[in-house]
Amino acid sequence: MTKELSFRKKKRLTSQVLHRIEAYLVGCVSAALLGLILTASFGYTATNVGVSMENSLVHGQKVLVNRVAYLLFSPGRDDVVIFKAGGTHTYIKRVVAVPGDTVLIQDGYLYVNGEQEQGDYEKMADAGLLETEITLGENEYIVLGDNRNNSEDSRTSSVGIVEKSQISGKVWLALPYGGSRMKPL
């Protein structure tokens, strides 16, 4: 009977390896807890209702909202914001005009400060309240949905001009939904 030679070293779990695994697990758990605490302190999740923000957001998609962004800064043009209008109804829309801007919808196109909006938006069938030129005052914003012909936004009397005090935060991340990927807004 011959004995075969083996050049393989048997691997053993040493205390050093166990300490590394433990440190890795503690790091992962700590990072997850820190993320939850920061989200609870500075942000929250909300759900998009309706089709007014398609193709950016779909009905039922959850978003992360930064609730402190506008404590330090004002909303900017092209920001996606969450706000309350008409009492308790919450909306998610895109800021298209900021304080001091003049706004007009003419022949289905948005004009801000006399310049036609650039972007991949379809021609609007209804100008609503924006068929006459409006100049925004301090802390006033115009918001529109990305799906312009299926959106209740600043063109309607139920929303109108949005005051900064109505805006509760900046939508900064769309969570995956129905096969979509997580994406910043």
Side-chain angles (χ1 to χ4, degrees), residues 55-113:
N55 290 329
S56 299
L57 299 170
V58 297
H59 174 71
Q61 188 169 13
K62 291 197 179 296
V63 296
L64 291 180
V65 179
N66 180 341
R67 74 172 97 201
V68 297
Y70 299 136
L71 295 177
L72 304 172
F73 305 100
S74 294
R77 193 175 291 112
D78 207 39
D79 284 359
V80 177
V81 297
I82 188 165
F83 63 96
K84 289 194 181 211
T88 59
H89 192 77
T90 301
Y91 295 89
I92 298 175
K93 304 291 179 200
R94 187 173 303 278
V95 174
V96 296
V98 297
D101 286 347
T102 58
V103 183
L104 172 69
I105 294 177
Q106 188 175 45
D107 299 324
Y109 297 101
L110 174 67
Y111 292 87
V112 178
N113 300 324

Side-chain angles (χ1 to χ4, degrees), residues 40-54:
S41 300
F42 301 113
Y44 62 97
T45 60
T47 303
N48 182 54
V49 178
V51 298
S52 70
M53 285 301 291
E54 286 184 355

